[in-house]
Amino acid sequence: MGKFSIPILCVLLLCFLVSFSEAEYRKYKDPKVPLSRRIKDLLSRMTLEEKIGQMTQVERSVATPDAISKYFIGSVLSGGGSVPAPKASAETWVKMVNQIQNAALSTPLGIPMIYGIDAVHGHNNVYNATIFPHNVGLGVTRDPVLIKKIGEATALEVRATGIPYVFAPCIAVCRDPRWGRCYESYSEDPQIVRTMTEIIPGLQGDIPGNSRKGTPFVAGKNKVAACAKHFVGDGGTNKGINENNTLINYKGLLGIHMPAYYDSVIKGVSTVMISYTSWNGKKMHANRDLVTGYLKDKLRFRGFVISDWQGIDRITSPPDANYSYSVEAGVSAGIDMIMVPYNFTEFIDDLTYQVKNNIIPVSRINDAVARILRVKFTMGLFENPLADLSLANQLGSKEHRELAREAVRKSLVLLKNGKSAHKPLLPLPKKASKILVAGSHADNLGNQCGGWTITWQGLTGSDLTSGTTILDAIKQTVEPATKVVYNENPDANFIKSNKFSYAIVVVGEPPYAETFGDSLNLTIAEPGPSTITNVCGYIQCVVVLVTGRPVVIQPYLSKIDALVAAWLPGTEGQGVADVLYGDFAFTGKLARTWFKTVDQLPMNVGDKHYDPLFPFGFGLTTNLTKY
């Protein structure tokens, strides 16, 4: 080989310096560059494989460093109850998230992944987190200021574990309590649900006043990206059957189920999740008219649209009957990120094939990836991809538990107070010789929290996480001289052989989530009814219902002296005792209609034949007790 001439060496050196300079400075990595140019620059550098990787969300159990880097995975999630270790600490969570993130950052373009988790009533998968009342109770408060504070607290606890993205809030308008997800809905009234979207600026921060409509917004490291779900009509299915068909005309869909999405988009929600349900027979995951035509084009939503868990699989019946068709239908409808969550290579292979063979245009892929990158850039994920332990003390903090306790107080609804209006039972006296506390839900933290708590379906018992049961709260509230006797299911002889001043009976539904909660009868399981009958038949009693929805109560109502709907209050049972004993007044008003019999369902306020046991908006009040 001959020697290089000096001019050739100069040219080579210049080329090297230019390439080195380009490697050092990438426009998309510069936070001073306008957002649109950062997105455009990064998109121009991405291969098809890298783009499709960004559209893929996998479960943490399969998110190995090798899989993340090999397939350029853009997002990872924890399914319900999927944790790095039992009772994992904030440090364990942060370590896991950062391990996955480092794998994403090791790819040539270094695009950070976004980790998502269900935080539907606080950081509900995580041990020792504050568990707030489920939405069915929060809707009762009609208090947007409180709901925003709950969003702020939840964001801090989620960030404490290194996670920047939550699949919340659920803004379903539950029109039939037979639906197993009704407790995830704030109300049957779309106006209350709209008010409760104030949780979004709580989670994400207040969107700047000059923001363009529909632009996603996350205000830094103490906030999280939110997800309005499930688009659209999930609360209106026939007979309340989960994932079923919502039969309603276009005007009804827009008037009842759509308004909260309009508010969410205005408030800068970062993502929207598609519903498993169908609208008049068409699967929402394949409904281009509503996903692209209405949400993206009409409402001008500029964040990204995400599928539900294996949502595209369920486009066909039975699920996964024609997976390649499902991929085409879901992506073509306008879904940007696909929650796979396990068999992600099949999704990647199918989508790659369809793009290379012009079945799905590259423009659709570019739109999806641009939306995902917009959210990642906006939330500062490129500048701060790795989590730390600076917020670890926020997990289950005293301040957040006090906020949850306040939410419990405001979510309680007093449905009956005394067998006559002249002789109210509540508030209860703190000073009594001996009182009885009974019922399956009195000393059971898991029952008190309901589904989506530590595990997907929830757990019964009191060792799932830290909190205060209603029984413990009562003991802490009454006078020291008052003897509190607990008997979960006493018989008549036990009642007769003791001289109780009064009884508190706490009964309700077992924990459940989604389809497992669908119920055509809405009855309280035994021994709940027997406990009510045995106790209230002999002594003055207040019945506290711990349920995710209205349940059949009319047959027992005449025996009951006072009746309280406590819904699913979460970990802070002290809030129940605060109001039972008059330290705070009952203020809650029903955000749902309470039926007489299930034969009346569905029945909602405004219906022509409206004949409820307790109407929408009902709720008695009490005076404060002075001690």
Side-chain angles (χ1 to χ4, degrees):
M1 292 177 66
K3 293 182 179 179
F4 287 115
S5 66
I6 291 175
I8 291 173
L9 281 171
C10 289
V11 170
L12 289 171
L13 182 61
L14 183 63
C15 289
F16 172 77
L17 289 172
V18 168
S19 63
F20 180 77
S21 174
E22 284 182 348
E24 284 298 299
Y25 178 75
R26 292 179 174 180
K27 198 178 288 182
Y28 72 88
K29 288 193 171 183
D30 186 349
K32 296 175 185 176
V33 172
L35 179 61
S36 59
R37 287 171 61 191
R38 293 181 79 182
I39 294 169
K40 187 177 179 181
D41 179 61
L42 182 47
L43 262 178
S44 71
R45 300 171 187 268
M46 294 175 73
T47 64
L48 178 62
E49 289 71 25
E50 287 168 325
K51 290 175 182 177
I52 289 174
Q54 284 301 301
M55 296 173 65
T56 308
Q57 185 181 62
V58 306
E59 217 283 325
R60 53 159 290 279
S61 57
V62 298
T64 63
D66 182 59
I68 296 296
S69 58
K70 181 179 178 181
Y71 294 100
F72 311 104
I73 300 299
S75 185
V76 178
L77 83 151
S78 276
S82 179
V83 297
K87 298 185 177 181
S89 65
E91 185 177 8
T92 302
W93 278 96
V94 166
K95 185 178 178 181
M96 177 200 68
V97 173
N98 281 347
Q99 182 182 21
I100 298 169
Q101 188 66 281
N102 279 318
L105 297 175
S106 73
T107 57
L109 293 174
I111 304 172
M113 67 88 200
I114 182 170
Y115 197 106
I117 196 166
D118 286 282
V120 298
H121 61 142
H123 199 7
N124 52 263
N125 283 283
V126 175
Y127 180 74
N128 203 36
T130 307
I131 305 298
F132 291 91
H134 265 299
N135 289 354
V136 66
L138 296 181
V140 162
T141 71
R142 293 164 169 78
D143 187 343
V145 175
L146 173 67
I147 267 46
K148 185 176 182 181
K149 287 179 181 176
I150 289 172
E152 291 168 348
T154 301
L156 288 170
E157 297 208 15
V158 172
R159 281 287 194 171
T161 57
I163 297 171
Y165 177 30
V166 298
F167 306 125
C170 177
I171 52 173
V173 182
C174 175
R175 304 291 282 179
D176 192 325
R178 291 174 291 187
W179 186 35
R181 304 192 78 154
C182 203
Y183 65 75
E184 297 184 56
S185 167
Y186 294 108
S187 178
E188 70 187 44
D189 175 24
Q191 295 310 313
I192 289 179
V193 179
R194 294 183 76 172
T195 301
M196 297 295 104
T197 60
E198 196 61 15
I199 195 171
I200 292 169
L203 292 164
Q204 297 192 154
D206 290 304
I207 192 164
N210 60 350
S211 291
R212 182 176 167 185
K213 178 186 174 184
T215 302
F217 178 75
V218 182
K221 292 196 292 182
N222 290 357
K223 298 294 182 180
V224 293
C227 179
K229 65 183 190 182
H230 310 84
F231 186 86
V232 61
D234 51 339
T237 58
N238 188 34
K239 296 183 180 178
I241 298 170
N242 192 43
E243 303 182 23
N244 201 18
N245 193 16
T246 298
L247 300 167
I248 193 170
N249 62 26
Y250 187 61
K251 182 180 178 182
L253 186 79
L254 297 191
I256 294 172
H257 299 285
M258 193 66 80
Y261 286 95
Y262 176 82
D263 292 61
S264 299
V265 169
I266 290 290
K267 291 175 182 180
V269 74
S270 295
T271 73
V272 171
M273 185 182 290
I274 304 302
S275 175
Y276 287 131
T277 56
S278 303
W279 175 49
N280 295 335
K282 187 172 181 65
K283 288 280 188 180
M284 278 305 311
H285 272 75
N287 196 319
R288 191 180 189 281
D289 289 341
L290 287 175
V291 177
T292 296
Y294 198 90
L295 177 62
K296 289 184 172 181
D297 295 345
K298 191 171 182 66
L299 294 187
R300 299 180 186 176
F301 172 63
R302 301 183 75 226
F304 69 80
V305 174
I306 187 168
S307 81
D308 207 333
W309 178 278
Q310 296 177 330
I312 62 166
D313 304 50
R314 304 190 203 188
I315 288 173
T316 58
S317 185
D320 205 18
N322 185 342
Y323 192 70
S324 61
Y325 165 76
S326 294
V327 171
E328 180 188 352
V331 174
S332 297
I335 302 173
D336 305 309
M337 184 179 283
I338 314 298
M339 195 184 292
V340 181
Y342 300 116
N343 196 10
F344 58 91
T345 56
E346 183 183 11
F347 166 72
I348 289 170
D349 290 345
D350 274 17
L351 185 53
T352 302
Y353 174 86
Q354 290 178 24
V355 176
K356 287 183 175 179
N357 287 274
N358 299 315
I359 298 167
I360 292 177
V362 175
S363 59
R364 171 76 273 271
I365 303 303
N366 287 342
D367 170 62
V369 178
R371 289 168 176 275
I372 293 164
L373 295 178
R374 182 177 291 116
V375 171
K376 289 184 176 184
F377 280 127
T378 300
M379 64 196 299
L381 209 50
F382 280 78
E383 288 70 51
N384 296 291
L386 295 172
D388 57 44
L389 290 169
S390 59
L391 294 174
N393 64 343
Q394 296 291 328
L395 192 67
S397 72
K398 188 174 184 231
E399 183 183 2
H400 295 165
R401 291 184 182 275
E402 282 301 314
L403 179 64
R405 181 174 171 181
E406 177 190 352
V408 173
R409 293 195 293 259
K410 292 181 175 179
S411 68
L412 303 178
V413 182
L414 182 57
L415 300 172
K416 182 179 180 180
N417 192 12
K419 292 190 174 170
S420 74
H422 304 293
K423 290 186 177 180
L425 179 58
L426 298 175
L428 295 168
K430 293 181 180 179
K431 189 174 183 179
S433 57
K434 184 164 61 172
I435 66 171
L436 172 66
V437 179
S440 54
H441 289 54
D443 192 31
N444 195 307
L445 197 62
N447 286 356
Q448 194 174 297
C449 291
W452 289 111
T453 308
I454 304 302
T455 69
W456 174 39
Q457 292 294 320
L459 296 164
T460 196
S462 292
D463 60 350
L464 71 166
T465 191
S466 57
T468 304
T469 67
I470 295 171
L471 174 64
D472 285 340
I474 291 166
K475 289 177 176 178
Q476 291 166 26
T477 304
V478 296
E479 292 286 315
T482 300
K483 185 177 181 182
V484 178
V485 176
Y486 172 62
N487 188 321
E488 185 173 328
N489 188 27
D491 58 24
N493 290 330
F494 179 82
I495 308 294
K496 292 175 188 175
S497 61
N498 282 275
K499 292 184 178 179
F500 294 113
S501 302
Y502 58 84
I504 301 170
V505 178
V506 190
V507 294
E509 296 184 296
Y512 57 80
E514 301 191 41
T515 303
F516 292 91
D518 285 358
S519 172
L520 293 177
N521 57 45
L522 293 178
T523 53
I524 304 169
E526 286 290 356
S530 297
T531 307
I532 293 172
T533 301
N534 290 346
V535 175
C536 299
Y538 295 96
I539 49 173
Q540 274 197 317
C541 76
V542 52
V543 171
V544 178
L545 292 176
V546 176
T547 67
R549 54 202 163 184
V551 290
V552 173
I553 197 67
Q554 189 181 33
Y556 324 110
L557 196 56
S558 61
K559 295 185 179 74
I560 296 168
D561 293 280
L563 179 63
V564 176
W567 314 109
L568 296 169
T571 51
E572 306 315 301
Q574 189 64 49
V576 176
D578 287 344
V579 183
L580 289 179
Y581 284 95
D583 293 328
F584 294 83
F586 280 92
T587 57
K589 307 294 180 186
L590 286 179
R592 302 209 51 80
T593 296
W594 204 295
F595 58 87
K596 291 177 180 175
T597 70
V598 290
D599 296 336
Q600 296 174 296
L601 300 176
M603 177 174 60
N604 295 281
V605 63
D607 287 355
K608 190 174 181 181
H609 302 289
Y610 189 69
D611 183 29
L613 182 62
F614 301 108
F616 174 90
F618 181 82
L620 302 173
T621 57
T622 52
N623 297 318
L624 300 182
T625 302
K626 294 180 180 178
Y627 288 99

